[in-house]
Amino acid sequence: MTIRPGDSANATALRLSVILGNPRASRSGGAVSHWFLDLVRQRADFVTDVIDAREPPPPEQASARLAESDAFVVITPEYNHSFPGVLKTLIDAHYVEWHAKPVGFVSYGGISGGLRAIEQLRLVFAELHTVTVRDTVSFHRVEGQFDQRGEPVDEAGCGAAGKRLLDGVAWWGTALRAARAVHPYG
């Protein structure tokens, strides 16, 4: 699924792949994904491709989509102090597609809010030659963080955190795309 900004899209927009890392049919983080994708839609600096771990594309198609991306945001729950195995499989099935590109994180879970999953993902993505963005968005005790309409209870705080994350992804994405154009990585 590709989300494209309206008439404000331009040639400098970054190709952002948002990876939904929860393979479960009953996702407690569905509201998190919807909220984040709505936030991205409001920005003209991204053209967004959504890759869903529940229905991953065939390997060749996934490789092409990841290779075309300038940046990534991974939305993940925390399972057993880590991230889902299907997300690890998706990440490990590719290598050069990740190189010299930024990765941001949105996590959710119980008391830790998925932060332990992010800690481990940072280690994995370091081996793939990415730049992980420092600012993250984390939903602690996710079930209580969204109202009946699926909107964040703390809309201002979530919006500010999401903006910081996307600003960092945009900065690194722009810088690294320019660097790759001048001197291909590797």
Side-chain angles (χ1 to χ4, degrees):
M1 171 171 99
T2 301
I3 302 168
R4 299 188 185 279
D7 295 336
S8 60
N10 60 51
T12 62
L14 294 168
R15 294 176 307 262
L16 175 69
S17 285
V18 177
I19 300 167
L20 308 181
N22 189 342
R24 293 183 179 172
S26 59
R27 296 183 195 195
S28 61
V32 174
S33 299
H34 292 294
W35 165 79
F36 185 76
L37 291 169
D38 285 344
L39 189 66
V40 175
R41 282 186 191 102
Q42 297 170 27
R43 297 181 63 125
D45 51 350
F46 294 112
V47 173
T48 307
D49 181 30
V50 178
I51 299 174
D52 193 336
R54 187 187 315 166
E55 301 167 4
E60 303 80 25
Q61 184 186 22
S63 289
R65 288 167 67 181
L66 294 172
E68 291 174 358
S69 297
D70 296 307
F72 308 97
V73 171
V74 176
I75 301 176
T76 186
E78 181 178 311
Y79 293 162
N80 304 317
H81 291 226
S82 188
F83 55 93
V86 70
L87 179 55
K88 180 75 162 113
T89 300
L90 174 66
I91 293 167
D92 287 349
H94 309 283
Y95 186 66
V96 297
E97 295 85 353
W98 304 107
H99 286 186
K101 298 175 184 177
V103 181
F105 302 103
V106 176
S107 67
Y108 56 93
I111 195 165
S112 77
L115 294 175
R116 293 175 288 214
I118 290 175
E119 287 175 2
Q120 292 184 17
L121 281 166
R122 287 186 191 282
L123 295 172
V124 170
F125 278 110
E127 288 300 311
L128 295 169
H129 304 260
T130 69
V131 173
T132 60
V133 176
R134 172 66 180 91
D135 291 311
T136 65
V137 180
S138 178
F139 291 93
H140 303 263
R141 299 194 190 280
V142 68
E143 295 81 9
Q145 297 300 319
F146 291 85
D147 63 21
Q148 297 291 358
R149 297 182 334 265
E151 299 296 322
V153 173
D154 178 11
E155 194 169 332
C158 292
K163 181 183 182 320
R164 273 192 311 277
L165 169 65
L166 288 171
D167 287 349
V169 169
W171 191 94
W172 280 107
T174 301
L176 291 171
R177 180 173 63 183
R180 288 190 315 273
V182 172
H183 188 303
Y185 188 80

